[in-house]
């Protein structure tokens, strides 16, 4: 069982943040970069987004930087509030359950694997003249791959039978766009969900939710 710090009833916000530090540090960095994008002139904004993208061009020239920096930017600063909610709903519970290290391994693996595979598929399409060559410079940034991985691994936190309803919803949400002619981004989301589901061994030996939890107090 993962040891957690004692709650601080008098400081609920501080206790909440301390229980999932990685999630909130990540969210803070995204908030800062979103402010930068929001206040930057249009031309400089485009340069920033392309420079921090994990597209084919950037992956070929600066692979490590492209993979790392693309995880800390979102294309539309107006969607920051939505991402904040999604981080609290998916990332934070997984980090509290698995611990920061295991959570980080899962989301980082999903981000890297999904990016590399989806961009390789895109490159193959470009070489086969099935996609325009300009797609080598497409803006490919954001945190959605990591979120999809947390959605996947959170499946194992839920008790049966709700686990299966949740899993069906997640597969439908990410699978239907891919099955109906989705983009390389849709492929990346599906891969990330699979990484989260394949992370089941990292959830072993943790206290699973039990349908009988709490009955001892009755």
């Amino acid at each position: 069982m993962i040891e957690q710090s004692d709650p601080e009833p008098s400081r609920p916000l501080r206790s909440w943040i301390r229980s999932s530090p990685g999630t909130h540090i990540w969210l803070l960095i995204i908030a800062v970069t979103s402010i930068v994008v929001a206040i930057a002139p249009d031309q400089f904004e485009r340069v920033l987004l392309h420079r921090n993208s994990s597209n084919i061009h950037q992956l070929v020239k600066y692979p490590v930087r492209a993979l790392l920096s693309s995880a800390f930017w979102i294309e539309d600063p107006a969607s920051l509030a939505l991402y904040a909610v999604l981080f609290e709903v998916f990332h934070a519970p997984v980090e509290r359950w698995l611990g920061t290290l295991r959570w980080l391994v899962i989301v980082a693996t999903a981000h890297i694997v999904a990016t590399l595979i989806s961009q390789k598929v895109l490159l193959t399409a470009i070489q086969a003249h099935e996609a325009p060559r300009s797609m080598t410079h497409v803006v490919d940034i954001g945190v959605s791959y990591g979120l999809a991985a947390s959605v996947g691994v959170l499946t194992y936190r839920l008790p049966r039978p709700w686990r299966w309803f949740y899993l069906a919803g997640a597969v439908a949400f990410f699978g239907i766009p891919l099955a109906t002619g989705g983009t390389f981004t849709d492929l990346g989301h599906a891969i990330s969900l699979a990484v989260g589901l394949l992370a089941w061994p990292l959830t072993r030996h943790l206290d699973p939710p039990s349908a009988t939890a709490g009955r001892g107090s009755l």
Side-chain angles (χ1 to χ4, degrees), residues 88-90 93-94 97-98 149-171 193 196-197 200 203 206-213:
E88 297 296 346
V89 171
F90 296 107
V94 173
W97 177 41
L98 299 181
S150 280
V151 169
V153 75
L154 193 61
T155 300
Y156 305 112
R157 184 59 172 159
L158 302 177
R160 300 178 182 88
W162 307 112
R163 173 182 301 181
W164 310 122
F165 291 111
Y166 173 88
L167 177 59
V171 170
L193 178 67
L197 293 172
W200 170 77
T203 71
L206 299 177
D207 287 345
S210 172
T212 60

Side-chain angles (χ1 to χ4, degrees), residues 26 30 33 48-55 58-59 62-75 111-112 115-116 119 139-146:
W26 192 4
I30 293 170
T33 58
L48 275 176
L49 295 180
H50 280 280
R51 183 177 177 81
N52 291 285
S53 180
S54 54
N55 57 34
Q58 293 294 330
L59 284 172
Y62 314 104
V64 176
R65 190 193 74 186
L67 288 170
L68 181 62
S69 63
S70 61
F72 297 102
W73 297 78
I74 55 178
E75 192 168 359
H111 177 75
I112 293 170
T115 297
L116 293 179
Q119 289 297 322
V139 174
D140 183 24
I141 59 173
V143 298
S144 56
Y145 291 166

Side-chain angles (χ1 to χ4, degrees), residues 64-152:
V64 176
R65 190 193 74 186
L67 288 170
L68 181 62
S69 63
S70 61
F72 297 102
W73 297 78
I74 55 178
E75 192 168 359
D76 181 8
S79 62
L80 177 61
L82 173 61
Y83 278 111
V85 171
L86 294 175
F87 268 52
E88 297 296 346
V89 171
F90 296 107
H91 279 317
V94 173
E95 185 181 0
R96 293 188 194 104
W97 177 41
L98 299 181
T100 299
L101 180 59
R102 277 184 280 192
W103 163 78
L104 183 59
V105 167
I106 293 168
V107 297
T109 299
H111 177 75
I112 293 170
V113 171
T115 297
L116 293 179
I117 293 178
S118 61
Q119 289 297 322
K120 176 60 177 177
V121 170
L122 177 59
L123 177 60
T124 302
I126 292 172
Q127 292 172 337
H129 306 291
E130 296 174 356
R133 187 162 294 276
S134 60
M135 291 292 287
T136 58
H137 293 274
V138 69
V139 174
D140 183 24
I141 59 173
V143 298
S144 56
Y145 291 166
L147 274 168
S150 280
V151 169

